Amino acid sequence: MAEFLSIETRVSEAKKMLDELGIQSKNISKQLLRYLAGRMKTYIRRGYRKSGLNKRSGNLYKSISSRLTKDGKFVIISPTARRDGKVLYGYALAKGVTIKPKLGTKALHFKSTRGVEPPYRRARSVVIKKNSFIKDSATTYRDTKMYADANAKLEKLVKKAIEKYESKQ
């Protein structure tokens, strides 16, 4: 359900080079991981249709989140479970859930979106099957574009650190 992202080897080479030049490089890995997490989230959002999701919902878009671990070595990309007291659709899709009526009621009542007569339906429960839309898109990004993006961004970060060091001199 969650994807983990780590690029330690590429960053350690850049840090070693900057340390040899006497330039501080403590935040380069965090900056690079945050950048790649943002790129991966964008790629996941673009991959909704390939995963069989037809409707592009704002809630589904907003449910994908990323967070950096405390040690700064990994980024976790996963659907958010709740926001403002509401269960978000992305989490339900990624995990797979069964929706049941509240206590005291016998059935769910909802409007059908498929143009079926009658427009309102009843069901004792609704099963949302697990959909690996995050894993599929994240794997595709990791296998195709991630390393090119990482190298390009790492070069920019190193150049920026060198320019900052030279301007202080």
Side-chain angles (χ1 to χ4, degrees):
M1 187 165 73
E3 283 299 307
F4 297 91
L5 182 63
S6 177
I7 42 136
E8 190 62 32
T9 56
R10 296 181 191 286
V11 173
S12 62
E13 293 171 6
K15 279 185 175 183
K16 185 177 178 182
M17 182 190 73
L18 289 173
D19 289 340
E20 288 174 2
L21 294 172
I23 302 171
Q24 284 189 345
S25 61
K26 61 182 179 180
N27 289 329
I28 274 191
S29 61
K30 289 181 181 181
Q31 290 173 344
L32 184 59
L33 279 172
R34 283 189 187 116
Y35 170 78
L36 289 175
R39 298 285 297 154
M40 187 174 279
K41 283 181 1 183
T42 302
Y43 207 79
I44 289 168
R45 290 173 179 156
R46 287 181 187 161
Y48 285 160
R49 293 218 185 262
K50 294 175 187 172
S51 299
L53 303 174
N54 294 327
K55 188 172 181 180
R56 291 183 132 194
S57 165
N59 288 336
L60 185 58
Y61 238 60
K62 293 173 189 173
S63 71
I64 307 300
S65 66
S66 61
R67 67 180 189 273
L68 193 64
T69 57
K70 287 183 180 180
D71 60 0
K73 293 184 179 183
F74 297 97
V75 172
I76 301 169
I77 300 168
S78 63
T80 307
R82 290 186 179 267
R83 182 177 293 146
D84 301 329
K86 297 179 182 177
V87 176
L88 295 176
Y89 187 55
Y91 180 77
L93 273 174
K95 186 179 178 198
V97 295
T98 301
I99 302 172
K100 295 180 181 177
K102 292 181 181 180
L103 290 175
T105 58
K106 293 182 180 179
L108 296 166
H109 301 275
F110 55 93
K111 187 173 182 178
S112 177
T113 58
R114 298 182 188 231
V116 180
E117 288 295 327
Y120 290 93
R121 309 230 10 227
R122 282 176 129 183
R124 290 184 188 254
S125 65
V126 175
V127 176
I128 298 176
K129 295 178 183 174
K130 184 177 179 179
N131 187 329
S132 60
F133 69 99
I134 292 178
K135 186 174 183 176
D136 296 341
S137 296
T139 303
T140 303
Y141 175 70
R142 190 177 15 214
D143 293 345
T144 57
K145 297 182 179 181
M146 187 180 89
Y147 293 110
D149 287 349
N151 288 335
K153 184 64 175 180
L154 190 58
E155 284 181 27
K156 286 180 184 177
L157 290 172
V158 169
K159 283 182 184 178
K160 186 177 177 181
I162 291 172
E163 288 171 1
K164 186 176 178 181
Y165 177 75
E166 288 175 350
S167 68
K168 287 183 180 179
Q169 295 282 327

